[in-house]
């Protein structure tokens, strides 16, 4: 009888511990997109404004951005419906080239000496697996603050960025408008050729 | 001659149109959510609560939006002209200004000219019947003009009710009155616009008492010399931000013409939704 009571108590403890573990694990990354985004942005800014050489910044932020962004989804949206006509090999190549372009542009823009401050707004749910988080970026030099909205998707329990809107301008929609005619005219080869040519151009960090 | 200078100044004061448009601060995401609703497919019944793979049919299938650009060929030519003027004339001027004038002074001057545009924003708030917003604009003007030393310091940013007031213009007023944007046009020296926004630009010009010296011969608040000086200074002060925004967009673009057109039209649409 005592043994049975002890067994029941152990089972109750096991159930409670398991429940707590589930609650705690669900309270981590996937449950709090704002907290996760804040952590991701802080990590990138910490590298960008660490005072180290700007020449290696692309290599230093790349692992973080590859973790934060769903580049496959970003690229697919940027290409639009034509994406489905691409072969898997072309899709992979375009994703690689486009993510390199995005990371290079991003890295060139976040360098500087004065770290901006970012205010996070309230999360808006777009779908059960998607949300957007408005932020307000204020540069310390007194320039006017501007609005940046991050759109995130829950992929395998982790929130990943799939679009960024700056003052109402969607990053992926802007590229989709640019790629549209190119995709219709020349398909994947034209896109690959154009992206390779773009990546060969020097980028001016002072612009 | 006066008319010619006036026309040139009118055009020069907003050669950095995109930057001016893009720099309006706002955390509102109503328009953004609207854009998402517009681009995504209708919701499916069996949408998963947490996806393990990227949803094939929900994202990435939206085609590029159709744009009302019947003058595309002429617009491309004008775009190249504006590009040349920006790179070879406005950029050296902006760099020279940045080299000579310290950063904090430049910020103060930029704030000062923004503050001077108060009558335009206030007037358009009233024309749209947005009286709460017009009150906020008036509050901003009073706070920045007094505590902000003539508008040099944007003190209103530290007052929660005044920190995030969307700036109105006559193009937005026309939109709220029900006018459609009309065809996209690239105006020589002025940059991207639409028929509605160009009309609105003329309206804003007329709404600003500081421009009246160019319009009326009798009702002058300021002399010609002061008026021209203000207009020229405003152009120089705004040039660096405009050039920087333009160059950054061009550098990131696969097709700069389409990138600027999409950015301009999307941003204006977002502003109309605020």
């Amino acid at each position: 009888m005592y043994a049975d009571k002890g067994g029941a108590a152990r089972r109750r403890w096991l159930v409670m511990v398991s429940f707590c573990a589930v609650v705690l694990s669900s309270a981590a990354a996937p449950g709090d997109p704002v907290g996760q985004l804040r952590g991701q942005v802080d990590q990138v800014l910490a590298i960008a404004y660490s005072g180290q050489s700007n020449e290696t910044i692309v290599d230093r932020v790349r692992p973080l951005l590859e973790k934060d962004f769903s580049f496959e989804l970003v690229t697919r949206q940027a290409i639009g419906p034509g994406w489905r006509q691409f072969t898997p090999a072309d899709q992979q190549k375009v994703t690689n080239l486009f993510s390199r372009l995005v990371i290079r542009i991003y890295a060139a823009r976040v360098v500087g000496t004065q770290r901006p401050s970012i205010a996070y707004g309230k999360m808006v749910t777009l779908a059960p697996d998607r949300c957007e988080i408005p932020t307000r970026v204020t540069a310390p030099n007194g320039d006017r603050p501007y609005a940046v909205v991050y759109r995130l998707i829950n992929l395998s329990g982790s929130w990943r960025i799939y679009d960024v809107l700056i003052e109402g301008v969607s990053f992926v929609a802007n590229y989709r408008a640019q790629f549209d005619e190119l995709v219709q005219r020349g398909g994947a080869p034209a896109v690959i050729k154009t992206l390779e040519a773009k990546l060969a151009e020097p980028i001016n960090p002072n612009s | 001659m006066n008319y010619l200078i006036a026309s040139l100044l009118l055009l020069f004061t907003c050669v950095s149109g995109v930057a001016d448009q893009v720099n309006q601060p706002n955390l509102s995401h109503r328009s953004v959510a609207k854009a998402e609703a517009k681009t995504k497919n209708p919701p499916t019944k069996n949408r998963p609560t947490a996806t393990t793979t990227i949803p094939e049919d929900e994202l990435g299938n939206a085609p590029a939006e159709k744009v009302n650009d019947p003058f595309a060929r002429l617009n491309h030519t004008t775009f190249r002209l504006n590009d040349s003027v920006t790179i070879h004339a406005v950029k050296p001027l902006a760099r020279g200004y940045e080299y000579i004038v310290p950063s904090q002074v430049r910020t103060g001057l930029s704030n000062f000219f923004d503050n001077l545009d108060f009558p335009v924003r206030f007037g358009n708030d009233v024309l749209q019947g947005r009286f709460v917003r017009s009150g906020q604009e008036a509050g901003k003007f009073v706070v920045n003009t007094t505590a902000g030393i003539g508008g040099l310091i944007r003190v209103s940013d530290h007052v929660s009710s005044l920190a995030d007031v969307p700036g109105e213009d006559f193009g937005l007023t026309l939109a709220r009155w029900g006018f459609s944007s009309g065809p996209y046009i690239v105006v020589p020296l002025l940059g991207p616009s639409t028929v509605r926004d160009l009309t609105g630009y003329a309206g804003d010009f007329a709404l600003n008492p500081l421009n009246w010296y160019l319009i009326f011969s009798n009702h002058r608040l300021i002399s010609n010399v002061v008026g021209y000086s203000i207009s020229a200074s405003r152009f120089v002060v705004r040039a660096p931000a405009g050039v920087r925004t333009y160059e950054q967009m061009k550098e990131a673009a696969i097709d700069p013409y389409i990138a600027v057109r999409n950015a301009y039209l999307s941003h204006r649409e977002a502003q109309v939704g605020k």
Side-chain angles (χ1 to χ4, degrees), chain A residues 82-109:
Chain A
W83 178 257
R84 283 182 292 184
Q85 270 80 58
F86 289 16
T87 65
D90 284 340
Q91 289 181 348
Q92 187 60 48
K93 185 152 193 181
V94 170
T95 302
N96 289 340
L97 290 169
F98 191 60
S99 59
R100 275 175 59 199
L101 179 68
V102 173
I103 291 170
R104 197 173 75 147
I105 292 164
Y106 187 90
R109 297 294 163 254

Side-chain angles (χ1 to χ4, degrees), chain A residues 70 72-73 76-77 80-81 84 101 105 109 122 124 126-130 132 134-136 141-147 149 151 153-157 162 165 167-169 173-180 182 194-195 198 203-204 206-207, chain B residues 22-27 29 32-33 35-36 39-40 47-64 95 103 107 111 114 154 157 163-164 244 247-248 250-255 258-259 262-263 266-267 270 274:
Chain A
S70 170
E72 190 196 335
L73 189 49
R76 187 201 295 176
Q77 289 185 99
R84 283 182 292 184
L101 179 68
I105 292 164
R109 297 294 163 254
K122 199 177 170 191
V124 178
L126 301 171
D129 59 338
R130 293 205 300 275
E132 65 179 28
T135 68
R136 183 184 166 93
N141 63 3
D143 282 352
R144 268 195 251 172
Y146 55 94
V149 176
R151 286 192 178 151
I153 185 166
N154 189 348
L155 291 172
S156 306
Y162 71 92
L165 295 96
E167 288 293 335
V169 181
N174 191 274
Y175 273 101
R176 185 162 55 233
Q178 295 178 63
F179 278 126
D180 188 46
L182 200 62
T194 305
L195 283 171
K198 190 72 200 170
I203 199 156
N204 178 12
N206 298 319
S207 65
Chain B
V22 165
N23 283 337
Q24 295 293 331
N26 201 308
L27 262 181
H29 42 258
V32 169
E36 160 93 7
T39 53
K40 74 183 180 189
R47 179 178 287 145
T49 51
T51 44
T52 51
T53 55
I54 295 168
E56 184 69 41
D57 294 324
E58 291 191 17
L59 295 168
N61 283 332
R95 291 288 178 267
S103 168
T107 302
N111 292 340
D114 279 351
R154 229 177 26 239
D157 280 359
D164 196 21
R244 194 172 296 114
E247 282 203 311
Q248 287 179 355
K250 196 176 150 188
E251 209 163 61
I254 301 293
D255 183 329
I258 297 178
N262 174 276
S266 302
H267 178 63
K274 282 178 186 171

Side-chain angles (χ1 to χ4, degrees), chain B residues 2-188:
Chain B
N2 260 8
Y3 181 74
L4 177 67
I5 296 170
S7 306
L8 281 174
L9 281 174
L10 185 149
L11 294 173
F12 269 119
T13 37
C14 203
V15 75
S16 58
V18 172
D20 285 350
Q21 304 297 348
V22 165
N23 283 337
Q24 295 293 331
N26 201 308
L27 262 181
S28 163
H29 42 258
R30 251 187 312 157
S31 56
V32 169
K34 207 173 84 184
E36 160 93 7
K38 252 176 77 177
T39 53
K40 74 183 180 189
N41 291 342
T44 52
K45 280 181 184 173
N46 300 321
R47 179 178 287 145
T49 51
T51 44
T52 51
T53 55
I54 295 168
E56 184 69 41
D57 294 324
E58 291 191 17
L59 295 168
N61 283 332
E65 285 185 38
K66 297 288 173 212
V67 178
N68 184 7
D69 189 4
F71 313 116
R73 280 185 68 178
L74 177 62
N75 283 343
H76 268 96
T77 306
T78 316
F79 183 81
R80 282 193 293 273
L81 167 79
N82 288 351
D83 177 76
S84 191
V85 171
T86 305
I87 301 303
H88 297 111
V90 185
K91 185 179 173 182
L93 183 74
R95 291 288 178 267
Y97 170 66
E98 285 185 312
Y99 182 75
I100 294 167
V101 181
S103 168
Q104 285 173 330
V105 178
R106 292 200 305 269
T107 302
L109 289 172
S110 176
N111 292 340
F112 174 77
F113 284 111
D114 279 351
N115 200 45
L116 280 189
D117 287 340
F118 154 74
V120 174
R121 295 188 296 267
F122 179 80
N124 281 296
D125 283 330
V126 172
L127 287 171
Q128 292 173 34
R130 295 183 174 223
F131 299 111
V132 173
R133 201 174 278 184
S134 64
Q136 287 174 307
E137 273 297 346
K140 262 176 71 179
F141 180 72
V142 170
V143 167
N144 290 337
T145 306
T146 53
I149 317 169
L152 291 171
I153 305 166
R154 229 177 26 239
V155 183
S156 59
D157 280 359
H158 306 289
V159 182
S160 60
S161 62
L162 306 177
D164 196 21
V165 185
E168 297 294 343
D169 59 56
F170 199 57
L172 297 176
T173 299
L174 291 173
R176 300 223 172 82
W177 286 353
F179 289 91
S180 65
S181 64
Y184 175 74
I185 44 174
V186 182
V187 185

